[in-house]
Amino acid sequence: MQDLVASNIWTQLDFRNLSVEVLAYIYENTFVGEDARQKLGTHGTPHAVARYLVHQVPFEQFVENERYTLEPFCGHGVFLVAALQRLRELLPSGMDAKERHKYFVRMLRGFEIDQFALEVSRLCLMLADFPNHNGWKLHEEDIFESGGFSTALKQSRIVLSNPPFEDFTAL
């Protein structure tokens, strides 16, 4: 049943009038079943909480081209979207939209084991940076087994996360 609903939403819904918060709400309350919550420790972080936490991080203390931000367990990308909004506030107001998008893509990276959550994260970032295209560095990987995660972690200056609250088990 969830597959049918997902298929209809992705093919028939016009995303131009959809906010990041609404998309995240639909994902969390429609597509995340109790089994996924238990198995993957999936839970939602309210956007207001993510924005508040991101505004406590001193992004401005980092050189503009070194504000690499990583969200492990990114789910629908709530911290990535909040970081994008924070980075936008710090960029020069006259920056070209394409250059700003390239900057966001370079600075933000997420990892998530749930493929569907990662797709929602991609859509949320696209909505937050509308009308720019995709290009986001989102990786469908288990961070505990990923060499790419170790590399991204070494490069990152800022790590934002609300990790799963469930016990970790082998999948």
Side-chain angles (χ1 to χ4, degrees):
M1 182 62 161
Q2 273 184 324
D3 291 338
L4 177 63
V5 172
S7 174
N8 285 333
I9 285 177
W10 297 138
T11 59
Q12 297 177 19
L13 186 65
D14 185 352
F15 288 96
R16 288 179 293 184
N17 297 317
L18 186 65
S19 72
V20 171
E21 289 83 3
V22 169
L23 179 59
Y25 181 85
I26 290 170
Y27 162 72
E28 290 174 15
N29 293 285
T30 306
F31 297 111
V32 180
E34 200 53 43
D35 56 333
R37 288 188 197 285
Q38 292 289 322
K39 182 178 178 184
L40 299 174
T42 302
H43 62 279
T45 302
H47 288 275
V49 171
R51 279 190 299 270
Y52 173 78
L53 291 172
V54 166
H55 274 80
Q56 304 312 303
V57 176
F59 278 79
E60 63 280 350
Q61 291 182 9
F62 295 97
V63 176
E64 184 175 297
N65 286 322
E66 293 183 4
R67 293 174 180 154
Y68 296 107
T69 304
L70 173 66
E71 184 181 2
F73 312 107
C74 70
H76 63 75
V78 67
F79 285 104
L80 290 173
V81 169
L84 181 149
Q85 293 165 339
R86 179 77 171 111
L87 290 171
R88 180 182 287 129
E89 294 170 0
L90 297 172
L91 289 175
S93 59
M95 184 181 243
D96 173 75
K98 287 186 180 190
E99 286 302 312
R100 188 174 56 235
H101 176 70
K102 285 182 193 177
Y103 175 77
F104 293 151
V105 168
R106 199 170 65 249
M107 292 297 120
L108 302 172
R109 182 171 285 179
F111 285 80
E112 174 58 53
I113 197 169
D114 181 353
Q115 179 184 16
F116 190 72
L118 206 59
E119 187 60 29
V120 174
S121 180
R122 188 172 282 108
L123 290 169
C124 285
L125 284 164
M126 288 169 46
L127 285 170
D129 194 34
F130 185 81
N132 293 304
H133 57 82
N134 194 353
W136 304 105
K137 293 177 184 175
L138 301 174
H139 308 278
E140 182 187 348
E141 297 178 30
D142 181 341
I143 66 166
F144 299 112
E145 299 176 359
S146 170
F149 175 74
S150 297
T151 301
L153 186 59
K154 288 175 187 171
Q155 179 186 26
S156 297
R157 300 293 176 261
I158 301 162
V159 178
L160 302 165
S161 184
N162 192 356
F165 286 109
E166 304 300 325
D167 291 335
F168 294 112
T169 59
L171 295 178

